[in-house]
Amino acid sequence: MHVPAHGTRWKALHDGLSSSLIAVVSVVRGLVFYLSGRPGTPLRALCIAAFDTLQVIRNGNRLSKRELNMLAVLLDFAARANAAFDHKGVCRCGRRVTPQLLEEAEIGASVAEYLRRLGNLEGGRPQSGGDRSQFQNVRFYREAVVRLSLGMVATAASGNQCLDEAIEATFGDGDLNLLFRIAMQCQIIDDVLDYSHDRPAGLPSFLTACQSLPQALELTRCAARGYADDRHLARAADVFPLRVALFHVSLCTRLVVSLRRWRAGACLGRPPAKRDD
């Protein structure tokens, strides 16, 4: 059956507006949880909002209050686990997550598997202070940790998806890949802000991967540009809010990296490294 072009455009507009309204409500729900004390940061609250939005788009119903609390506990726990591996303080990780809370949320088994895989990744983490090839190793390590964390949260949110399936979905062209790209942009921003701590601690990050900071910043800029490029992904109208989020987070990342490149160039008495476009 032939569908008029204007009908298709109207449906796409309707789906985009509907998904945007769904996302607004989800953001409000996530921020309400944040104000209650969990999760520990606004960024994690927005992560909860993203999965609540996907739940409505996929299944037509919102996550229950209990499920939202489960995701909040899970995100705070993951943040604490990563901070522990990096020997960082947990002041930004939210309230303490006890084994009892994990069991009450019925995610004890998922958390155990997450910790096992995270331990394997952290045990084989690449060294900092290398060259271009080492930067790629650090980038793949960063991506693997983000995919694992997203997969764990997606598994908990859906309730009917195994961890490997969720991780595999971050490589695809759907909504989890969009979330992965947003998360990687946030990871770059975090690495820029934590550079002064990560460098002396010898922690691998986008900025510490290379011995030369200007080189690391240029490679980071290129990586951020790649995460921002969503042209090959499915153009479904119902994920319009995620595309908007990716666009704005990518702009913020570009600004943060540009400012750090300018600062690095000023400290060295020369302009930022020339782009390899």
Side-chain angles (χ1 to χ4, degrees):
M1 179 179 177
H2 175 70
V3 179
H6 68 275
T8 302
R9 287 195 297 268
W10 170 251
K11 184 180 185 304
L13 177 62
H14 176 270
D15 290 345
L17 290 174
S18 297
S19 60
S20 297
L21 290 175
I22 290 170
V24 169
V25 175
S26 295
V27 168
V28 172
R29 298 186 80 200
L31 292 179
V32 167
F33 261 78
Y34 168 68
L35 293 175
S36 71
R38 175 169 283 137
T41 66
L43 186 59
R44 283 173 230 153
L46 293 178
C47 182
I48 290 175
F51 279 99
D52 187 47
T53 300
L54 291 180
Q55 176 71 10
V56 179
I57 292 172
R58 290 171 173 175
N59 304 313
N61 62 287
R62 292 195 175 276
L63 295 172
S64 66
K65 186 176 180 179
R66 177 182 172 279
E67 290 170 327
L68 292 177
N69 185 66
M70 174 190 67
L71 293 185
V73 170
L74 202 55
L75 288 167
D76 280 348
F77 177 83
R80 283 181 171 271
N82 279 278
F85 277 112
D86 289 343
H87 304 289
K88 293 182 178 180
V90 294
C91 58
R92 293 184 297 171
C93 296
R95 293 185 295 181
R96 186 167 177 264
V97 180
T98 64
Q100 181 181 357
L101 279 174
L102 298 175
E103 290 301 328
E104 288 176 355
E106 299 179 359
I107 52 176
S110 298
V111 167
E113 177 63 12
Y114 168 77
L115 286 177
R116 184 187 69 80
R117 298 194 186 197
L118 181 62
N120 290 338
L121 288 173
E122 297 296 348
R125 63 165 53 163
Q127 298 295 316
S128 60
D131 53 13
R132 181 183 291 265
S133 63
Q134 187 67 359
F135 178 89
Q136 294 303 322
N137 292 334
V138 171
R139 177 179 176 178
F140 294 151
Y141 152 74
R142 278 291 199 227
E143 289 181 353
V145 172
V146 168
R147 292 185 196 278
L148 175 61
S149 299
L150 269 181
M152 177 186 64
V153 177
T155 299
S158 66
N160 58 2
Q161 187 178 38
C162 74
L163 181 57
D164 287 324
E165 289 176 345
I167 293 174
E168 184 64 27
T170 65
F171 289 94
D173 62 354
D175 42 38
L176 281 183
N177 184 268
L178 278 169
L179 287 180
F180 165 75
R181 291 168 180 273
I182 294 171
M184 289 309 302
Q185 298 283 25
C186 293
Q187 182 65 71
I188 289 176
I189 293 175
D190 190 60
D191 283 358
V192 172
L193 298 179
D194 285 352
Y195 174 75
S196 60
H197 174 275
D198 292 343
R199 187 73 173 187
L203 295 175
S205 74
F206 279 94
L207 265 64
T208 64
C210 296
Q211 188 66 36
S212 166
L213 177 58
Q215 182 185 32
L217 284 166
E218 173 59 17
L219 292 173
T220 299
R221 183 193 68 82
C222 294
R225 186 177 60 186
Y227 297 132
D229 184 7
D230 63 350
R231 288 175 296 180
H232 73 285
L233 301 182
R235 309 298 296 185
D238 54 8
V239 293
F240 174 73
L242 295 183
R243 290 187 179 278
V244 172
L246 175 61
F247 174 77
H248 286 94
V249 173
S250 298
L251 282 181
C252 291
T253 305
R254 182 177 179 181
L255 175 62
V256 169
V257 173
S258 295
L259 289 174
R260 192 62 183 85
R261 292 177 75 234
W262 174 82
R263 180 183 173 189
C267 291
L268 294 173
R270 63 173 182 265
K274 184 179 179 181
R275 297 184 178 184
D276 297 328
D277 290 335

